[in-house]
Amino acid sequence: MSRSSFRLNAKRGLLAAVAGSPFTQAGVVDVYDVSADCRAPVFKSSLPLGILGHEGAFSPDGRTYWASTTADRGLSAIDVSDPANPQLLYHGFDVATHGLSISDDGRRAYLADVQNGPTQNYVSEITHGGGGMRILDISQIQDRVTLPQVTEVGYVTWPEVTIPQSTIPVTVRGHKYLVEFDEYDSDVTTYAADENVGGVH
């Protein structure tokens, strides 16, 4: 399992993680029930639903586990309403996200996006930086619409972007913010003193 994919949904007491790489894993999602005792997880399922999965997120209501794809574009939404029988609700091939978080109402996805546009080279971006933060409308997935459509709500980038890692919604003194943090510097294959380094935005 990718340790950055481990997520706990406290409301339902579910623990989930995904493992995936182009060479070793198909994207197996493991789901455990920890509602009775977090020290004794109860295994519920293990299925290849998080295509080449890398990082994960839960919807706040605990009905949907999200898995981002590693080393390529992709985002999977997995219905874990029945944790013993999870189902793939959606897989988007045109999204290049590293990590993500979901809004309190489950209707927006906040992506740490590693692409500058649909024609950009993904491998170059993941090793040489690029991207920003993308916001998706995922209402139809939250509402369990058949053949759901996911649309972009907004996108932002900044000059110092390196490799966007993930996002965290926070509330400070009653005001809601979204924190995005990068990892590495702007070229993970070399180092130069004038390179951008990962930061928090």
Side-chain angles (χ1 to χ4, degrees):
M1 294 290 108
S2 168
R3 65 180 176 225
S4 52
S5 75
F6 271 97
R7 291 295 181 270
L8 171 69
N9 182 268
K11 182 173 183 175
R12 294 195 58 213
L14 291 180
L15 179 68
V18 62
S21 81
F23 309 107
T24 61
Q25 298 285 340
V28 174
V29 176
D30 289 350
V31 182
Y32 291 84
D33 187 333
V34 295
S35 59
D37 186 348
C38 64
R39 298 166 299 178
V42 177
F43 174 76
K44 302 306 282 186
S45 60
S46 183
L47 293 168
L49 299 173
I51 301 167
L52 299 179
H54 180 59
E55 290 208 20
F58 262 112
S59 62
D61 64 11
R63 295 188 309 137
T64 312
Y65 178 77
W66 293 83
S68 66
T69 293
T70 187
D72 203 350
R73 290 176 169 84
L75 179 63
S76 301
I78 300 153
D79 187 338
V80 290
S81 299
D82 176 0
N85 185 32
Q87 303 289 322
L88 183 64
L89 294 169
Y90 165 86
H91 182 78
F93 291 95
D94 58 347
V95 178
T97 183
H98 193 160
L100 70 153
S101 58
I102 308 298
S103 65
D104 289 344
D105 62 4
R107 306 180 82 78
R108 295 287 185 268
Y110 306 118
L111 280 55
D113 192 273
V114 288
Q115 69 180 10
N116 287 320
T119 62
Q120 299 297 310
N121 181 285
Y122 181 86
V123 174
S124 175
E125 287 152 6
I126 203 68
T127 57
H128 296 90
M133 185 178 65
R134 193 173 304 273
I135 301 174
L136 301 180
D137 181 340
I138 55 171
S139 300
Q140 292 190 17
I141 292 171
Q142 179 69 12
D143 294 339
R144 297 303 192 257
V145 172
T146 303
L147 300 176
Q149 300 298 306
V150 171
T151 57
E152 183 175 310
V153 174
Y155 179 80
V156 64
T157 188
W158 45 91
E160 304 82 11
V161 67
T162 59
I163 298 175
Q165 172 81 47
S166 198
T167 62
I168 305 171
V170 298
T171 301
V172 179
R173 296 181 181 175
H175 296 282
K176 294 189 175 186
Y177 299 94
L178 188 63
V179 176
E180 183 281 339
F181 53 94
D182 293 349
E183 74 170 334
Y184 295 120
D185 58 12
S186 54
D187 185 344
V188 300
T189 60
T190 63
Y191 177 75
D194 61 348
E195 285 181 23
N196 292 330
V197 295
V200 175
H201 306 276

